[in-house]
Amino acid sequence: MQQLKKSALACLMSCIPALTGAQGSWTPTEQQKLNLNLATQQYFHLSERGEFPAAYSMLSKDLQQSISLERWSIRQAEFNARMGEVVERGIRNITWGQEPVPAGPVKVLAAVDHSGKFRNADIHCGKLFWQQQADGSFKLLREIENSIDKKAQSQMTTEQLAEARKKMRC
């Protein structure tokens, strides 16, 4: 998903500061937290089970314009084959933010840090950037994933592995 169009990149450039800046007195509602958690779990579930069209439908329009369903599905299938089945996966942290929009409602954004283990990789982590939609659901703006498979891990020294984890934020 490296090939983002300008509109998607512009969104990301505005989304990231909103998620790293001060949130003020705003906090997400319990319903927003629940909807985000459900969206994240559903996205992982669909992707892991090879239900690519359904998972792809959870991507924002900008992200869908940057990569076709066919190409995205091929990448997901390759990832699944390389990593093997999921052993464990969990959410480590969620950062919430709001971004004012001229002549429109405030955008609610969330960045979900996750980590997991797969049959072929003990080290995996990433971040999902979500935006709440008018109906309360969430659409995926961007996904970042990092992993070290067991074969590569076995060839690394303890220091190299620690440095890799640090760079990957795993």
Side-chain angles (χ1 to χ4, degrees), residues 11-25:
C11 175
L12 289 174
M13 297 314 287
S14 64
C15 297
I16 292 170
L19 292 172
T20 57
Q23 293 183 30
S25 61

Side-chain angles (χ1 to χ4, degrees), residues 41-164:
Q41 297 304 325
Q42 181 180 19
Y43 179 72
F44 287 146
H45 176 79
L46 294 170
S47 296
E48 291 160 7
R49 295 196 182 278
E51 297 177 32
F52 301 136
Y56 184 82
S57 74
M58 298 180 75
L59 277 56
S60 68
K61 289 185 193 292
D62 284 340
L63 192 50
Q64 287 179 355
Q65 289 175 354
S66 72
I67 188 167
S68 69
L69 170 59
E70 180 182 6
R71 186 172 169 100
W72 184 85
S73 297
I74 290 168
R75 286 184 181 180
Q76 291 300 117
E78 288 172 348
F79 175 84
N80 290 350
R82 190 173 65 252
M83 294 291 111
E85 59 268 351
V86 175
V87 174
E88 70 180 58
R89 189 192 286 268
I91 295 172
R92 295 186 316 186
N93 185 50
I94 300 174
T95 306
W96 290 89
Q98 288 185 311
E99 180 184 18
V101 177
V106 171
K107 288 183 186 179
V108 173
L109 307 165
V112 176
D113 293 304
H114 62 89
S115 62
K117 292 183 179 184
F118 294 79
R119 183 187 58 201
N120 300 327
D122 285 334
I123 301 171
H124 176 81
C125 63
K127 187 174 286 222
L128 302 174
F129 293 91
W130 296 96
Q131 180 180 343
Q132 186 176 17
Q133 305 301 294
D135 66 359
S137 67
F138 284 84
K139 289 285 187 178
L140 189 62
L141 300 173
R142 183 171 185 212
E143 179 175 13
I144 300 170
E145 290 192 297
N146 297 299
S147 59
I148 301 174
D149 63 41
K150 288 180 180 179
K151 181 179 178 184
Q153 185 179 341
S154 72
Q155 298 170 355
M156 298 172 79
T157 66
T158 304
E159 294 80 20
Q160 290 171 327
L161 194 55
E163 183 63 27

